[in-house]
Amino acid sequence: MVAPGLEGTVEVHSYLGPGDERSLADDVLDGLTRPLKELPPKHLYDARGSELFDDICELPEYYQTRTERLILETNADAIVKRTSAVELVELGSGSATKTRVLLDAMDFAGTLRRYVPVDVSATTVHAVAERFTEEYPALQVHGVVGDFERHLGNLPAPAGPRLVPFLGGTIGNFPPGSRRRFLRSLAKVLGPDGHLLLGTDLVKDPLVIEAAYDDSAGVTAQFNLNVLHVLNRELGANFDVDAFEHVAFFDREREWIEMRLRATKPQHVRVEALDLEIDFANREELRTEISAKFTPERLEGDLRAAGLELVELYTDPQELFAVSLSRRA
Ligand code: SAH
Ligand code: TRP
C-alpha cells in the first residue's frame, strides 16, 4: 500500500476555449492573405495529426526520436543528479514516450514528485496524464492543455527544483527571432534553481535531413496535408486536399528545413467562418513549418542571448542530435 499522502493525483487544466478557434482564425487570416502564404505549425496537431506525428517518430528515416532517446538513456542519471529535480514541466510533451526515461531516473533516485505536461493537443495531454498516473502510483500529474507561447503564466508554482524538458527539436520550429524571445520567456518558468533540457537537431548532410521530412511511406506528407483537413473542419473551408502535395527542402543558407504544401492546380478556396476567399496559383506554395538545425556554437549563442548558461551538452556518437542542459545565467 502507498503511504498516506503519497498517493498519486491527477488534474488537467485547459486554457484553450472558444477563444482558440479565434487563434486559428487569426492565424489563417494573417497567414493566408500574405504574398508568401504561411501557417504556424501548432495547427498540425489535432487528434489525427498527433497520431500521425507518433507514426513519424517510428519511421526509419526519422532518426531524431531514437537518437534523442539514446542520449537520454545514456545521461538520465547524471541529469537527475546534477539538477536534483523533483518535478518535470514538459513543453510540447506530445505522447511523452522519451519522458519515461527521465521519470524512471527520478523515481530511482527517489526524488520524483510531479509531472506537468504542457501541449496544445488535448487528446495527448489527457492520454499521458491517465497513463502516467497508472504507471507511477505516487506521481502527481498536473496536465496543461494550452499554447506554450501564450499560457506559461498559468503553470503551477515550482514544488522544488524543476527540470523543463523541451524535446523533439520543437525549438527549431520557431523562426530565429521568436526562438530567442521564447527561450527568454522560459527563465521565469525555470525559477531560480531550475534547468532547461533542450533537444535540438544538429546540422548534417542535407540528404539525411530531407529524407527525415519526406519519408518513403508518405506519413510525413499525410501529416502535413492534415492541416488542410483541420481548416476545412474548424473553419468551414473547402480546400481540395488531393490537389496539394507535400514539399520538404533544406535551405543551406539558413540551415533549416521547410515544409510546404504546393497546389497542383489553380484553386479558389472559400473559408466560410472568416467570409474569406483565397486563391492559389498553379504550383503556389503554403509554408507550414520550418525546422532549424543547430551547431553547438549557434545553440550556445541562442541560449546566451536568452540569458541562459549552458551547463552540459550531451550528444550521440554520430553527432546527429544534441540534448543540452542549461540554467539562468
Ligand atoms: N515532445 C514530443 C513531441 C514533439 S512534436 C517528442 O519529442 O516526440 C511537437 C509537440 O508540441 C506536439 O505534441 C504539439 O502538439 C506541441 N505543440 C506545438 N506547438 C505548440 C504550442 N504552440 N503550444 C503547445 N504545444 C505545442
Ligand atoms: N519538431 C519536429 C521537427 O522539427 C516536428 C516535425 C517532424 C514536423 N516532422 C515534421 C513538422 C513534418 C511538420 C512536418 O522535427
Side-chain angles (χ1 to χ4, degrees):
M1 210 187 94
V2 184
L6 285 182
E7 302 88 357
T9 56
V10 59
E11 50 190 296
V12 176
H13 301 258
S14 181
Y15 301 97
L16 299 178
D20 275 271
E21 280 134 47
R22 179 101 68 65
S23 143
L24 176 64
D26 286 346
D27 290 344
V28 167
L29 197 55
D30 245 39
L32 293 193
T33 55
R34 292 185 196 172
L36 241 169
K37 296 183 172 65
E38 182 169 23
L39 275 177
K42 65 181 172 207
H43 304 301
L44 292 159
Y45 299 91
D46 66 339
R48 172 83 181 127
S50 299
E51 254 176 54
L52 286 166
F53 183 75
D54 283 342
D55 295 342
I56 288 176
C57 292
E58 309 265 309
L59 293 168
E61 292 97 334
Y62 199 72
Y63 57 86
Q64 285 95 314
T65 306
R66 58 176 178 272
T67 309
E68 190 175 37
R69 180 180 296 116
L70 175 75
I71 297 170
L72 292 174
E73 280 166 356
T74 310
N75 301 290
D77 290 335
I79 292 166
V80 168
K81 202 161 171 204
R82 183 92 198 213
T83 60
S84 313
V86 304
E87 64 174 5
L88 295 181
V89 175
E90 182 170 21
L91 306 177
S93 41
S95 57
T97 51
K98 290 165 290 187
T99 312
R100 218 182 252 118
V101 177
L102 296 167
L103 291 172
D104 286 343
M106 290 163 76
D107 201 11
F108 186 72
T111 58
L112 179 62
R113 273 169 66 185
R114 184 164 64 172
Y115 177 52
V116 184
V118 182
D119 206 290
V120 274
S121 168
T123 49
T124 58
V125 173
H126 283 276
V128 162
E130 217 165 283
R131 192 152 30 85
F132 284 9
T133 310
E134 255 169 52
E135 287 179 25
Y136 301 90
L139 186 65
Q140 297 169 30
V141 180
H142 181 121
V144 175
V145 179
D147 185 335
F148 52 51
E149 290 195 76
R150 293 186 294 141
H151 301 129
L152 292 184
N154 297 307
L155 292 174
R162 175 177 269 185
L163 181 60
V164 178
F166 189 23
L167 305 178
T170 306
I171 188 67
N173 302 142
F174 287 83
S178 39
R179 182 201 303 155
R180 291 184 170 189
R181 190 162 4 101
F182 180 71
L183 286 174
R184 193 166 269 275
S185 77
L186 292 186
K188 279 190 220 88
V189 177
L190 297 182
D193 54 2
H195 288 80
L196 172 67
L197 190 68
L198 185 66
T200 43
D201 198 11
L202 297 176
V203 172
K204 63 184 67 63
D205 180 354
L207 291 178
V208 174
I209 298 175
E210 283 178 349
Y213 294 89
D214 194 6
D215 63 281
S216 57
V219 181
T220 306
Q222 278 186 64
F223 174 64
N224 195 7
L225 287 161
N226 179 59
V227 78
L228 299 179
H229 290 297
V230 172
L231 301 189
N232 284 352
R233 185 185 65 232
E234 303 289 327
L235 299 176
N238 64 351
F239 282 92
D240 176 0
V241 180
D242 294 335
F244 282 88
E245 62 188 5
H246 168 70
V247 178
F249 70 94
F250 189 66
D251 182 330
R252 288 167 195 250
E253 213 168 289
R254 299 193 169 92
E255 295 188 315
W256 70 43
I257 182 147
E258 284 198 31
M259 255 67 64
R260 297 180 174 197
L261 292 169
R262 180 192 290 146
T264 55
K265 60 173 197 213
Q267 269 203 62
H268 180 77
V269 179
R270 174 161 174 78
V271 186
E272 198 59 49
L274 298 174
D275 195 18
L276 176 71
E277 316 273 333
I278 310 164
D279 283 300
F280 282 84
N282 185 32
R283 301 188 61 77
E284 186 174 346
E285 293 175 346
L286 155 65
R287 184 163 81 177
T288 50
E289 172 152 278
I290 64 162
S291 184
K293 306 305 163 192
F294 292 78
T295 57
E297 296 71 35
R298 170 121 43 80
L299 173 62
E300 206 172 341
D302 278 353
L303 292 172
R304 206 177 309 115
L308 296 168
E309 149 188 272
L310 185 67
V311 173
E312 204 73 64
L313 184 72
Y314 306 102
T315 183
D316 55 290
Q318 296 180 73
E319 302 192 353
L320 295 171
F321 199 90
V323 174
S324 57
L325 188 66
S326 55
R327 64 176 171 220
R328 278 157 73 161

